[in-house]
Amino acid sequence: MRFGGQYGLMLALAIVPASAQAGDKAAPVQVSGNIAVFFDPSGYPVDAMRAREQGRVVASVAIDAEGRATKCAIANSSNSVSLDATTCSIAMTKIHFVATRDAAGRNVPGTYDLKVRWVLPPAPPGTTLVTFGGTAADPTCSVVVAGATRHLAAQGCRSLANAITNRGGNLSQPVFVALPDQPGFLLPEGQ
């Protein structure tokens, strides 16, 4: 199962070039293309999604004279190691930069401030986010109910995992599902 449609990841992306290192007369570093495509639902870190983490990251990216990212430092943390690391990973490996130019038109090193707001998608009506752990043969399933993490009973978890994999789904990504309202489907709190 995948996120999509109106329930896809909501991600506000603000791209603001930092002042160039070469001086005030240098043109700012620019990006090539639409970098928002790198911050789609499939790029949301699984561990951050499981922990329901979201937040704003500001990463300062050093760009060499050829437009390659050479260093990424978190200038303002989201308070999520995973979201911060993913922001820098995307900046270093996927985003293409256009080098800054000095007053004479020569490419020079510069910096770029990448501002990203990671926002979890809302659960579709009548569904709950389920995350999987364990193995395919013996999965574990966790859900958040009324702000508390609960676990599905073993048989219910196996049935859910089988249904997802039989439809070509991937248990490495959390999914939104409608959970049956049956006694014993959710384990009591603390189990």
Side-chain angles (χ1 to χ4, degrees):
M1 300 183 121
R2 302 185 77 210
F3 296 106
Q6 64 181 344
Y7 302 111
L9 173 70
M10 293 184 294
L11 181 66
L13 181 63
I15 291 66
V16 179
S19 57
Q21 293 175 349
D24 293 336
K25 297 187 190 253
V29 173
Q30 300 293 321
V31 294
S32 175
N34 178 8
I35 66 172
V37 299
F38 302 122
F39 297 92
D40 68 357
S42 66
Y44 209 101
V46 173
D47 53 336
M49 194 175 293
R50 285 183 178 140
R52 308 296 294 157
E53 294 174 336
Q54 51 188 0
R56 182 174 182 266
V57 180
V58 178
S60 180
V61 185
I63 310 300
D64 69 13
E66 284 75 44
R68 290 184 300 256
T70 58
K71 182 179 178 186
C72 182
I74 299 300
N76 211 351
S77 176
S78 65
N79 295 318
S80 165
V81 171
S82 183
L83 295 177
D84 293 353
T86 300
T87 300
C88 274
S89 176
I90 289 170
M92 296 295 293
T93 62
K94 295 185 178 182
I95 297 175
H96 298 281
F97 296 93
V98 178
T100 189
R101 295 180 181 270
D102 64 12
R106 294 180 300 254
N107 287 358
V108 293
T111 57
Y112 191 88
D113 281 350
L114 176 61
K115 297 179 181 184
V116 179
R117 181 171 302 279
W118 293 93
V119 180
L120 288 164
T127 67
T128 302
L129 183 69
V130 177
T131 58
F132 298 92
T135 64
D138 188 23
T140 59
C141 302
S142 302
V143 298
V144 176
V145 177
T149 300
R150 304 272 301 275
H151 300 282
L152 297 175
Q155 182 58 41
C157 181
R158 276 192 293 281
S159 295
L160 180 59
N162 287 337
I164 290 168
T165 56
N166 288 342
R167 291 187 182 117
N170 182 346
L171 298 182
S172 67
Q173 290 286 334
V175 294
F176 287 108
V177 297
L179 295 177
D181 189 16
Q182 300 172 351
F185 194 76
L186 280 177
L187 294 175
E189 267 189 75
Q191 290 190 23

